[in-house]
Amino acid sequence: MPDPRRAIPRTDAVLAEPRIAKAAGSLGRDLVKAVVNDVQQAVRAGEIAPGDVVDTVLARLPASASSLRPVINATGVVVHTNLGRAPLSAAARDAVVAAGGATDVEFDLATGERARRGRGALAALRAAVPDAGAVHVVNNNAAALLLCALALAPGREIVVSRGELVEIGDGFRIPDLLESAGARLHEVGTTNRTSIRDYAAAIGPDTGFVLKVHPSNYRVTGFTAEAGLGELAGFGVPLVADIGSGLLAPHPLLPDEPDAASALRAGATIVTASGDKLLGGPQAGLLLGDADVVERLRRHPAARALRVDKLTLAALEATLRGPEPPVRVALDMSLASLRERAEALVKVLENADAQVVASVAAVGGGGAPGVELPSVAVSLPARYAAALRTGEPAVAGRVVKDRCLLDLRTVPPEEDAKLREAVRRCG
């Protein structure tokens, strides 16, 4: 009997097939070759017929050279850290694509000379927060806080309340971050109560700055007290306010969430915040405040190590100047529109197991803890959750009491058709 393995198409022959060769041109030869080798192995194992190699390779090729897969966020968490936090607006995505080639990020086309890096994004941020004397951007909020410690408190003390020694994601802790910069923490007050007198007793010649941290991923309730920014601004030392979530101005749905404009008006010297949370832009650390202090931060040697790339600058500027980003759109969706979309989806699905139910969404991303956003979801049997996650496109919902809920507050209306087809394929 002839060896069936002789019928397996050679690797070079498969790679030369026009459709495979075209895919190699966009995905990369090595990636495509790896898929070809896997399919050939499946033929040797008797799982695939030799004549089906090319079609199987084409079916198994990824959509892009990146392993990241697009996901429809139906979890009801607006800023979902595990899904990349804030989804970018169409304007921001277009700006990233445009910035992918050669750009004038540090070049003045009129004079032909070097120019201020990211001047467009910085101007947009400055315009969005007129109370800031100057602004600077680094790669995330932790980097912004680290730069403050490096520039303002090397070998000196940072006065901070014990109730604000926050642990952020993946086990990282703000105290460890600040001490890694060579600063010493002078903790004041207690976990639940810190008064202005506690700060006054701690401030002295060795104080680099007072730090006020918004506990954005937890709440302390009951017998509590804290000093406000207005009270802390009168000590004659820099006051750094880490507001966290990146809200630039007050939002009616989030009355307890601090914003940059209000913090600066209250007397903060520097405000630090995230760009990829409530601002709705790319991952970035925002520094806003006193012009002289911002310049000190910008000129510190570590600022070069913490700077952002041209793609981030492009996305940030487009977020600030363009239409409302998806995060803001999700926050502002009306219950009536959500229910109308849910009812339309259930009607088209024609699935007796699909129901329209009330839901509760959340801000997420370490922002607005405890704030509940009334929402509407499509409820399906729990078995849909895994099938939707592993389908194409991938859909992330949440399982509650043996039901898979697809919360529409976090699904852009333009993705309803994709969501409908994804559910149909799992039926």
Side-chain angles (χ1 to χ4, degrees):
M1 294 292 292
D3 188 342
R5 291 175 294 182
R6 293 182 179 275
I8 301 174
R10 299 192 321 274
T11 302
D12 58 349
V14 178
L15 290 172
E17 201 277 339
R19 291 172 295 170
I20 304 289
K22 182 179 179 180
S26 59
L27 297 175
R29 181 180 172 85
D30 290 344
L31 187 155
V32 173
K33 184 177 179 180
V35 175
V36 171
N37 291 338
D38 288 342
V39 172
Q40 290 171 324
Q41 187 58 41
V43 175
R44 294 184 184 96
E47 300 168 1
I48 298 170
D52 294 335
V53 167
V54 170
D55 288 341
T56 304
V57 168
L58 290 170
R60 291 190 181 184
L61 287 175
S64 75
S66 170
S67 62
L68 294 177
R69 290 182 59 195
V71 178
I72 295 177
N73 177 13
T75 64
V77 179
V78 177
V79 182
H80 199 300
T81 296
N82 302 133
L83 297 180
R85 290 186 176 168
L88 295 180
S89 66
R93 294 196 299 271
D94 290 342
V96 169
V97 172
T103 70
D104 60 345
V105 64
E106 282 187 35
F107 187 65
D108 188 325
L109 293 171
T111 65
E113 298 178 352
R114 184 181 180 128
R116 176 75 178 273
R117 181 180 178 84
R119 57 202 177 280
L122 296 174
L125 181 57
R126 176 74 176 77
V129 189
D131 295 280
V135 300
H136 186 58
V137 180
V138 290
N139 54 21
N140 61 23
N141 190 40
L145 196 53
L146 178 66
L147 188 57
C148 288
L150 288 168
L152 305 179
R156 304 182 70 190
E157 290 185 346
I158 298 173
V159 178
V160 61
S161 168
R162 288 188 174 92
E164 298 172 6
L165 300 177
V166 179
E167 179 175 310
I168 53 180
D170 200 25
F172 289 96
R173 296 177 174 180
I174 284 182
D176 298 338
L177 177 75
L178 298 173
E179 289 172 344
S180 73
R184 303 189 306 276
L185 295 189
H186 190 142
E187 302 172 16
V188 298
T190 64
T191 302
N192 59 317
R193 294 180 66 84
T194 304
S195 70
I196 192 66
R197 295 188 304 274
D198 295 319
Y199 289 95
I203 293 172
D206 206 30
T207 301
F209 63 86
V210 173
L211 175 61
K212 181 70 176 170
V213 181
H214 174 56
S216 59
N217 55 4
Y218 67 95
R219 290 190 302 168
V220 177
T221 60
F223 186 56
T224 63
E226 64 175 303
L229 287 173
E231 298 176 280
L232 296 173
F235 287 122
V237 297
L239 171 60
V240 176
D242 177 6
I243 65 170
S245 68
L247 197 63
L248 298 186
H251 190 287
L253 288 178
L254 310 170
D256 298 324
E257 191 71 12
D259 65 275
S262 299
L264 290 169
R265 290 173 195 159
T269 310
I270 292 291
V271 171
T272 71
S274 295
D276 58 346
K277 295 183 181 179
L278 290 176
L279 176 59
Q283 177 178 295
L286 313 180
L287 290 147
L288 313 98
D290 180 85
D292 291 337
V293 178
V294 170
E295 184 63 12
R296 284 179 63 186
L297 299 173
R298 188 180 79 84
R299 298 308 305 169
H300 190 278
R304 176 58 183 255
L306 303 175
R307 79 177 189 179
V308 294
D309 70 340
K310 61 180 180 178
L311 304 182
T312 299
L313 290 169
L316 178 61
E317 182 177 359
T319 299
L320 291 164
R321 295 194 190 279
E324 294 286 0
V327 164
R328 185 62 181 255
V329 172
L331 288 176
D332 295 341
M333 281 183 183
S334 70
L335 275 177
S337 66
L338 291 170
R339 181 163 292 279
E340 182 179 346
R341 290 169 56 202
E343 290 172 348
L345 279 170
V346 167
K347 182 178 180 180
V348 172
L349 287 173
E350 298 178 347
N351 186 328
D353 286 333
Q355 305 167 17
V356 176
V357 298
S359 180
V360 177
V363 173
V371 172
E372 296 184 343
L373 303 172
S375 190
V376 180
V378 172
S379 173
L380 298 163
R383 63 179 175 82
Y384 276 80
L388 286 167
R389 285 198 313 272
T390 56
E392 184 60 45
V395 177
R398 70 179 191 271
V399 176
V400 178
K401 296 181 179 178
D402 294 326
R403 299 290 292 181
C404 173
L405 300 187
L406 304 178
D407 194 310
L408 296 189
R409 184 173 288 278
T410 52
V411 178
E414 60 269 22
E415 291 189 345
D416 282 357
K418 290 182 180 179
L419 179 63
R420 178 185 66 239
E421 292 309 311
V423 174
R424 278 180 167 172
R425 283 194 288 268
C426 296

